[in-house]
Amino acid sequence: MAKPVMISTMSNIAHSIENTALLARSLAAVWHPCSQMKHYEHFPLLPIARGSGVWLYDYDKKRYLDAVSSWWVNLFGHCNPRINAAITDQLGKLEHVMLAGFTHEPVVQLSERLRELAPKGLGHCFYASDGASATEIALKMSAHYWRNSGKADKTQFISLENSYHGETLGALSVTDVALFRDAYGALVRQQATVPSPDWRKAAAGESAEAYALRCADALEQHLQRHHAQLAAFIIEPLVQGAAGMAMYHPIYLQRARQLCTAYDVHLIADEIAVGMGRTGTMFACEQASFLSEDGVENENKGITPDFLCLSKGITGGYLPLSVVMTRDEIYQAFYEDDMKSGFLHSHSYTGNPLACRAALATLDIFAQDNVLGVNRNKAAYLNKIATPLREHRAVRNWRNTGMIWAFEVETLRRDFAQQCFSLALKNELLLRPIGNTIYFMPPYIISESEIDLLVSRTSHIVNQLS
Ligand SMILES: *Cc1c(COP(=O)(O)O)cnc(C)c1O
């Protein structure tokens, strides 16, 4: 029998009976993710009745601007009519079929379109249902490639300091966030990390670029010593999300690509959070444009990783779907008569047609609405009106890449994140700080007046909490 949970009246939000009843039932029956359940005694869950655009509504018709895109997945708003229509159409045709031995139009079309959009050369799409599984697939595929290629010793991986690649056991082995990892350390074959090019760690007077190059030198030293055992280097391009939206100079990606090629180690680009336009280009890897010998920008913009992992925004935030894209040479190393050389990995819902249709509708919106161009203007607008916030006495390290903003708040409060979350709700905002880092990662359809509201209310919150 579940113990009845007392709902604290400390909540700043007055709840209706309907709201309160639902949250009590949730606490009795649902074990919520990434939570200390006991904390919900003091900071109650928020039952959400419906969503529309950037707004979430509770049962009391209070609204909250979803400034974190529901854990970084939503791109074009809640209940987007175009994505709704695509899924509804697909529902009448085929809801699901297994992808081993079968295929269907949505998964074929999605693979063809992703191949057109992704960095050149990533022609093969392997599907799963969530981000952590995409990480698992990339790691397994990399090691299995080396095994099939007669280099069975290459079974180790490296990631950046403070990296986050998911929380299943394989993904945890390349995740460097103590809170997520420490309790499970004994279960995980923990892999080595190399210094993060996060520009906040630069020495006084050192530019972000100089610091990124210094970190690339450290990467090279590691590769020199360990390349014979290394299968792959996995990296979050441009922004390390869970580290608190740590941002770094794209030169690091160029160097990482060069070094991985030179030392025969795969480069896995985990664009689960940063792909699908989040950093201002469709994929973050595009921003690492190579300069050729004579200093002219290569027409082939950006770098091509050996594996590109996508999830989160790929369905516009609608349905679980992930994909790992890879190069033909890697695909060919598995192409044999022998079953054992094939890539042996599957999930029940691999390539689900409804999720693929949501992804296709998402790609249609990108194409029809000039989303990347419009986002550039929205980002410029936010940066302009946020000047007073950026210059606030308690705000540090203001940073922006594409449609991601972050800054630290100088505060003595140890429970800053929780306080900020609660105060934000009172101000109609869904903010979910990481430590004392506040970030914005809004749906792309946010309007100028909604940006005004987001920035002015956040300034008010920072005033109150600093
Ligand atoms: C969210 C995330 C993952 C894990 O995705 P899930 O769908 O939550 O398993 C992996 N890598 C990065 C960079 C992420 O942001």
Side-chain angles (χ1 to χ4, degrees), residues 72-212:
W72 322 348
V73 299
N74 193 289
L75 301 188
F76 300 120
H78 295 280
C79 285
N80 181 290
R82 282 186 273 178
I83 304 176
N84 284 8
I87 295 173
T88 308
D89 177 66
Q90 185 59 37
L91 264 177
K93 292 177 178 157
L94 174 68
E95 81 301 336
H96 185 65
V97 64
M98 62 191 285
L99 203 60
F102 297 84
T103 193
H104 51 81
E105 179 69 27
V107 78
V108 175
Q109 244 190 59
L110 180 59
S111 309
E112 290 170 347
R113 287 180 66 179
L114 287 174
R115 181 178 59 200
E116 289 305 305
L117 288 168
K120 236 182 158 58
L122 298 174
H124 301 276
C125 292
F126 194 99
Y127 289 88
S129 321
D130 54 57
S133 305
T135 297
E136 302 281 342
I137 288 163
L139 299 179
K140 281 175 71 177
M141 217 179 238
S142 170
H144 197 163
Y145 166 89
W146 293 118
R147 182 186 162 87
N148 283 355
S149 312
K151 296 185 178 172
D153 286 344
K154 286 166 85 70
T155 58
Q156 313 265 320
F157 303 98
I158 45 175
S159 67
L160 292 180
E161 259 175 341
N162 299 323
S163 56
Y164 181 91
H165 299 291
E167 293 169 51
T168 53
L169 291 177
L172 263 186
S173 75
V174 289
T175 286
D176 185 38
V177 179
L179 178 67
F180 299 137
R181 198 199 52 209
D182 286 356
Y184 313 104
L187 311 181
V188 169
R189 197 181 68 153
Q190 197 62 46
Q191 305 291 330
T193 59
V194 292
S196 163
D198 172 0
W199 65 251
R200 292 173 302 174
K201 298 175 184 235
E206 187 179 33
S207 71
E209 182 171 4
Y211 178 61

Side-chain angles (χ1 to χ4, degrees), residues 150-423:
K151 296 185 178 172
D153 286 344
K154 286 166 85 70
T155 58
Q156 313 265 320
F157 303 98
I158 45 175
S159 67
L160 292 180
E161 259 175 341
N162 299 323
S163 56
Y164 181 91
H165 299 291
E167 293 169 51
T168 53
L169 291 177
L172 263 186
S173 75
V174 289
T175 286
D176 185 38
V177 179
L179 178 67
F180 299 137
R181 198 199 52 209
D182 286 356
Y184 313 104
L187 311 181
V188 169
R189 197 181 68 153
Q190 197 62 46
Q191 305 291 330
T193 59
V194 292
S196 163
D198 172 0
W199 65 251
R200 292 173 302 174
K201 298 175 184 235
E206 187 179 33
S207 71
E209 182 171 4
Y211 178 61
L213 287 169
R214 189 149 67 84
C215 291
D217 290 344
L219 170 65
E220 175 155 31
Q221 283 167 24
H222 190 94
L223 291 173
Q224 250 164 16
R225 275 200 299 275
H226 302 290
H227 65 90
Q229 285 80 45
L230 281 176
F233 174 32
I234 183 167
I235 186 169
E236 295 159 88
L238 296 186
V239 184
Q240 293 183 273
M245 303 298 158
M247 298 182 186
Y248 62 86
H249 195 281
I251 191 103
Y252 187 82
L253 291 176
Q254 295 175 25
R255 289 293 293 141
R257 176 66 280 179
Q258 289 167 338
L259 291 169
C260 284
T261 304
Y263 287 94
D264 226 10
V265 169
H266 289 143
L267 180 65
I268 302 171
D270 174 353
E271 296 219 17
I272 289 165
V274 296
M276 310 309 291
R278 195 42 89 172
T279 64
T281 44
M282 197 61 171
F283 304 106
C285 281
E286 291 169 42
Q287 293 183 44
S289 47
F290 263 115
L291 299 181
S292 60
E293 304 281 278
D294 46 5
V296 185
E297 255 196 29
N298 202 320
E299 105 185 66
N300 245 342
K301 277 203 169 259
I303 57 159
T304 300
D306 299 292
F307 301 93
L308 176 69
C309 303
L310 302 173
S311 187
K312 290 206 163 93
I314 195 169
T315 63
Y318 265 68
L319 287 161
L321 182 75
S322 62
V323 56
V324 178
M325 304 181 69
T326 192
R327 297 188 293 110
D328 195 51
E329 186 202 340
I330 290 171
Y331 174 78
Q332 292 301 340
F334 292 82
Y335 202 81
E336 296 281 343
D337 292 320
D338 184 5
M339 180 72 178
K340 283 201 299 259
S341 345
F343 186 55
L344 303 173
H345 189 101
S346 57
H347 296 283
S348 312
Y349 285 100
T350 292
N352 174 262
L354 295 169
C356 289
R357 280 298 296 276
L360 287 167
T362 298
L363 293 181
D364 285 342
I365 295 175
F366 271 104
Q368 290 160 9
D369 292 6
N370 180 27
V371 170
L372 298 177
V374 172
N375 281 358
R376 267 194 292 282
N377 294 334
K378 288 186 182 181
Y381 179 76
L382 193 153
N383 285 329
K384 186 178 65 162
I385 65 150
T387 307
L389 174 59
R390 176 154 71 197
E391 291 168 358
H392 190 283
R393 62 182 159 72
V395 168
R396 303 278 179 275
N397 304 324
W398 175 275
R399 53 198 182 273
N400 164 233
T401 300
M403 291 295 277
I404 308 174
W405 290 262
F407 57 91
E408 277 72 57
V409 178
E410 188 124 301
T411 174
L412 295 174
R413 292 170 195 268
R414 275 208 263 125
D415 56 351
F416 174 81
Q418 194 55 259
Q419 295 287 346
C420 180
F421 174 73
S422 298
L423 191 55

